[in-house]
Amino acid sequence: MRRATEMTAVDERGMTKYFEGFEPPEGVKVELLRGVIVMMAAPDLVHNMIMEGLVDQLPRSRWARLQTQDVDIVGEASEPVPDLVVVARDDVPNSGPLPSPLITMVVEVVSKSSVHQDYVVKRSIYAAGRVPAYLVIDPVMAHSVLLTRPAGDGEDADYLSQEITKFGDSLPLEILGLEVDTSEFGTYAGVRPHRYP
């Protein structure tokens, strides 16, 4: 009981310090999202096949395609771990978390339990970090949502532009100078559709 009381008294800075020393179990993805530690099990096969299909279409000669890379969101007490971070190959630092000003695009593939985090919490966090493009690939709704033009600060930050592309249609990623073929992006079986975006 005492431990629970102590944890409620921790502010976001204290949670960040606690998070930095936290060792998650093997195979568990852990993120700090605005003072909340979020843990997720290993992703579904559909998720991994979508990521493989996307990465294969991003030219390695121009873009570093970093999966589950820690991101340092400038001005935020958050440490998200996007499913994919796309950075110009010449901008990749030698080590450490990747500072958000270097990032060209982040990608999240919605899982059965990450709908709110991907569509609401991370949308605001990535916009606050001025990440130019945030791509949400949604195997529940069978579409992708490309968010661009970040604006605002803190929890009020958001993307001003949103484009939805159905799976099967060509997904234009002007910021990367290419179009992505989504015809092989799969969907989760037996999952109830949600209301986002």
Side-chain angles (χ1 to χ4, degrees):
M1 194 67 166
R2 184 172 174 225
R3 185 171 175 83
T5 305
E6 288 173 356
M7 288 302 289
T8 58
V10 176
D11 63 9
E12 282 191 9
R13 289 183 306 272
M15 189 60 79
T16 301
K17 187 174 181 180
Y18 171 78
F19 181 74
E20 288 170 357
F22 181 68
E23 289 292 330
E26 190 172 327
V28 175
K29 177 180 171 181
V30 180
E31 300 174 289
L32 179 63
L33 304 177
R34 298 229 162 101
V36 176
I37 294 176
V38 178
M39 296 192 296
M40 295 183 67
D44 186 278
L45 181 60
V46 169
H47 173 287
N48 288 338
M49 294 304 292
I50 288 172
M51 287 306 302
E52 179 188 55
L54 176 61
V55 169
D56 284 350
Q57 297 181 65
L58 305 179
R60 186 181 187 284
S61 60
R62 184 165 179 212
W63 303 107
R65 299 106 19 114
L66 309 172
Q67 295 188 47
T68 61
Q69 170 65 49
D70 290 346
V71 173
D72 180 14
I73 302 292
V74 178
E76 279 280 320
S78 299
E79 294 183 29
V81 182
D83 291 321
L84 182 70
V85 180
V86 181
V87 182
R89 189 152 289 283
D90 294 340
D91 291 342
V92 178
N94 293 331
S95 65
L98 193 60
S100 58
L102 299 180
I103 297 170
T104 302
M105 183 175 78
V106 292
V107 180
E108 297 286 1
V109 177
V110 175
S111 71
K112 299 166 191 175
S113 61
S114 71
V115 175
H116 180 73
Q117 286 96 338
D118 292 339
Y119 276 111
V120 179
V121 181
K122 289 185 179 182
R123 176 177 177 150
S124 175
I125 289 170
Y126 295 143
R130 297 298 185 265
V131 174
Y134 173 31
L135 178 62
V136 180
I137 301 176
D138 191 335
V140 178
M141 302 301 289
H143 69 215
S144 298
V145 181
L146 178 62
L147 302 161
T148 56
R149 299 179 51 223
D153 297 308
E155 292 185 26
D156 294 327
D158 198 1
Y159 286 92
L160 303 179
S161 178
Q162 172 177 296
E163 295 177 38
I164 299 174
T165 303
K166 289 188 230 174
F167 284 7
D169 292 345
S170 182
L171 169 62
L173 296 177
E174 291 179 18
I175 196 161
L176 303 182
L178 54 88
E179 290 194 0
V180 170
D181 176 7
T182 66
S183 62
E184 294 185 6
F185 287 7
T187 57
Y188 299 130
V191 179
R192 200 171 126 220
H194 49 74
R195 294 180 182 222
Y196 296 106

